[in-house]
Amino acid sequence: MFRSHILSIVLFTPLAGAILLLMVPKENKNAIRWIANLAALAGFLVSLPLIPWFWAVKSEVTPYFKFAEGSTNNWIPSIGAGYQLGIDGISFLLIILTTLLGSISILSSWTAIENRVKEYYAWFLLLQTGMLGVFMANDFFLFFVFWEAMLVPMYLLIGIWGGPRKLYAAIKFFLYTLAGSVLMLLGILFLYFHHHTVTGVYTFSLEALYATAPLITGKAAIFLFFAFFVGFAIKVPMFPFHTWLPDAHVEAPTAGSVILAGVLLKMGTYGLIRFSLPFFPAVATIKWVQALLITLSLIGILYGALVSLVQKDMKKLVAYSSVSHLGFCTLGIFVFTQMGIAGSVIQQINHGISTGALFLIVGILYERRHTREISEYGGISTVMPVYATIALIMFMSSMGLPLLNGFVGEMPIMMATFMVNKTWAIWAIPGVVLAAAYLLWLYQRVFFGTVTNPKNEKLADLTPRELATFVPLVILALAIGLYPQPLFKILDQPAAKLEATINANRPGHVAPVINAQQTEPAKEAAPAVKAPETPLEKKATEKPTRVTVLVTHPSAHKS
């Protein structure tokens, strides 16, 4: 019972906590904090069984998603909407990240939020339900409901509990996201009616739309691709749709910035992977379209890094660094190879860990000094040594130092890009160098030297509660950096399947080999990098090799 409905349980645990908060008097702030934290922790704990269960079935060949719940058209049969949930390796990792960062964010809010505490925690828990629903939904109508459901709580978190320019930032965030949602809704309705034209059935089921959406050709396909692309690019955000992000980050409360950078931005990259590319592979692989997508990614990498370098506000610096880091994620997606896609997803997880920690680091200083100006600090390592040590680890993680998680994501992206087009990789390399420059310079100005400002002489080091918010992130940064193989194995199947879908009809495409460690001689293994048909024929007669494409091709079960 628990296993068969694990996704629903994970999805609605935060919502149950929000409903429970409604029964607590608003004057009892401590009880509200305890209930909210326990609800968020319960949401994380109930998601933990997914880890061994998913690991056990990660290589099973299924038509689309694992741990499927619900059925087609079972929710609103009159319009063909169903309550359908399911996950693959990509959504699995994002769900675990969401439940972890949700619990950490709520714990970090204990002393930061003093006004309207009940409403704050209720909206935060509702926001978490919306984010989880986006990653689980296998019905487009249900997906759109969750997509819009998370918009209102984030708008209120910024608009009520934000900084001095909170209303401006909240309205800007709302309008940008809503504009993207309108374009996406038009695209969804087009696919919905097109599916009926082809099959005579009205349905929002993703499995059904995956079969009919690629049949759309011509200008309609190009329009639909960019309708979805713009909707998701705003959420990432990609250049030039990024202008809402710095304002939203700077004005949001610390926990809001953590969840915004750690999870909400990933909804954009998830949408590109889950919808834009498999729905319209023929459009995505048009040379000028791919060149445009890569160019926007590269501009985002360099622009975000350069602007970060000149910031005087720590929080704004971290916000612009997200534009640069997410540029690497979209670059990995748009090279259309298994290695690039897997690297992109891993980098999304890493960005959630490292940048979430950076916003917590900035928030701790802000709570003590109520300023984020870099010039106000200096010599902090002498008065807050534990805090400075954790900050150094997470700064190194964010800049991609080897043996930490950031390196594990960036390296496959750069390798995949170099294998497809050396010029693209060359343009991306300065982003890595600039990341080290602005992060190390920030650390030098804030933590090194002597304490020049008397207000910093008696700052308290991390409390046990604050330390508890960092410990899981530091452990993950080290664990992923030292042993990333489990993440690659989890992503083998969905990344290879997406690569095969995108490049199925692409003339002359040769898939790069991800796992080159094989027992057979190189000359015998050569056919594994040919068109998808050849590995499938080999698989029927030979012992499977470690080349991922052989294991994860969607037709492997049939052969």
Side-chain angles (χ1 to χ4, degrees), residues 245-466:
L245 181 68
D247 293 310
H249 267 315
V250 170
E251 301 304 324
T254 297
S257 295
V258 172
I259 210 71
L260 177 61
V263 180
L264 261 75
L265 306 187
K266 312 307 180 297
M267 292 165 54
T269 50
Y270 176 79
L272 294 172
I273 293 172
R274 179 68 73 227
F275 305 111
S276 295
L277 300 186
F279 279 163
F280 313 105
V283 177
T285 52
I286 297 174
K287 287 187 177 180
W288 70 265
V289 173
Q290 185 182 19
L292 174 63
L293 303 178
I294 294 291
T295 300
L296 294 180
S297 299
L298 293 173
I299 292 174
I301 290 171
L302 299 176
Y303 171 81
L306 289 170
V307 176
S308 294
L309 202 57
V310 299
Q311 292 305 311
K312 298 179 180 180
D313 182 303
M314 281 189 282
K315 203 172 187 183
K316 189 169 283 190
L317 184 151
V318 178
Y320 274 108
S321 76
S322 288
V323 177
S324 181
H325 288 143
L326 268 297
F328 280 104
C329 295
T330 54
L331 177 65
I333 294 171
F334 296 137
V335 295
F336 303 146
T337 68
Q338 179 180 347
M339 183 187 294
I341 294 164
S344 171
V345 176
I346 292 174
Q347 188 65 0
Q348 292 169 43
I349 304 301
N350 294 336
H351 177 265
I353 294 168
S354 59
T355 305
L358 293 184
F359 278 116
L360 287 174
I361 288 166
V362 174
I364 284 172
L365 277 184
Y366 183 77
E367 282 187 40
R368 286 158 170 74
R369 285 288 323 279
H370 299 289
T371 179
R372 294 185 296 264
E373 291 294 318
I374 299 172
S375 59
E376 286 287 317
Y377 298 98
I380 296 299
S381 61
T382 61
V383 292
M384 302 175 68
V386 176
Y387 170 75
T389 302
I390 290 176
L392 180 62
I393 294 172
M394 300 318 299
F395 274 46
M396 296 295 183
S397 164
S398 184
M399 72 178 69
L401 187 76
L403 300 183
L404 289 171
N405 59 330
F407 178 79
V408 173
E410 281 184 358
M411 181 56 70
I413 293 172
M414 297 301 294
M415 290 174 62
T417 306
F418 186 85
M419 292 166 69
V420 173
N421 189 305
K422 295 180 179 63
T423 303
W424 297 344
I426 291 170
W427 277 104
I429 288 172
V432 179
V433 179
L434 290 171
Y438 62 71
L439 287 169
L440 289 175
W441 192 30
L442 172 63
Y443 195 87
Q444 177 188 2
R445 289 179 286 172
V446 173
F447 292 94
F448 287 163
T450 58
V451 179
T452 55
N453 191 332
K455 296 178 182 178
N456 298 330
E457 291 177 351
K458 296 183 179 180
L459 293 180
D461 210 340
L462 296 181
T463 65
R465 176 188 60 82
E466 291 169 337

Side-chain angles (χ1 to χ4, degrees), residues 154-175:
M154 194 67 224
Y155 167 78
L156 294 175
L157 288 174
I158 299 172
I160 298 175
W161 293 278
R165 300 172 70 242
K166 57 189 178 184
L167 290 180
Y168 168 78
I171 291 172
K172 193 173 183 180
F173 162 77
F174 191 90
L175 291 178

Side-chain angles (χ1 to χ4, degrees), residues 176-314:
Y176 264 77
T177 308
L178 191 63
S181 297
V182 169
L183 286 174
M184 186 167 59
L185 179 60
L186 292 174
I188 292 171
L189 292 176
F190 192 108
L191 296 182
Y192 174 75
F193 288 110
H194 172 263
H195 182 81
H196 176 262
T197 302
V198 173
T199 66
V201 176
Y202 287 112
T203 183
F204 287 99
S205 171
L206 289 184
E207 296 184 9
L209 295 179
Y210 279 143
T212 57
L215 302 178
I216 303 172
T217 58
K219 293 182 179 179
I222 295 175
F223 166 78
L224 287 169
F225 175 83
F226 280 103
F228 282 102
F229 169 75
V230 172
F232 295 129
I234 289 173
K235 183 66 74 178
V236 172
M238 292 181 65
F239 180 91
F241 309 108
H242 66 283
T243 57
W244 64 268
L245 181 68
D247 293 310
H249 267 315
V250 170
E251 301 304 324
T254 297
S257 295
V258 172
I259 210 71
L260 177 61
V263 180
L264 261 75
L265 306 187
K266 312 307 180 297
M267 292 165 54
T269 50
Y270 176 79
L272 294 172
I273 293 172
R274 179 68 73 227
F275 305 111
S276 295
L277 300 186
F279 279 163
F280 313 105
V283 177
T285 52
I286 297 174
K287 287 187 177 180
W288 70 265
V289 173
Q290 185 182 19
L292 174 63
L293 303 178
I294 294 291
T295 300
L296 294 180
S297 299
L298 293 173
I299 292 174
I301 290 171
L302 299 176
Y303 171 81
L306 289 170
V307 176
S308 294
L309 202 57
V310 299
Q311 292 305 311
K312 298 179 180 180
D313 182 303
M314 281 189 282

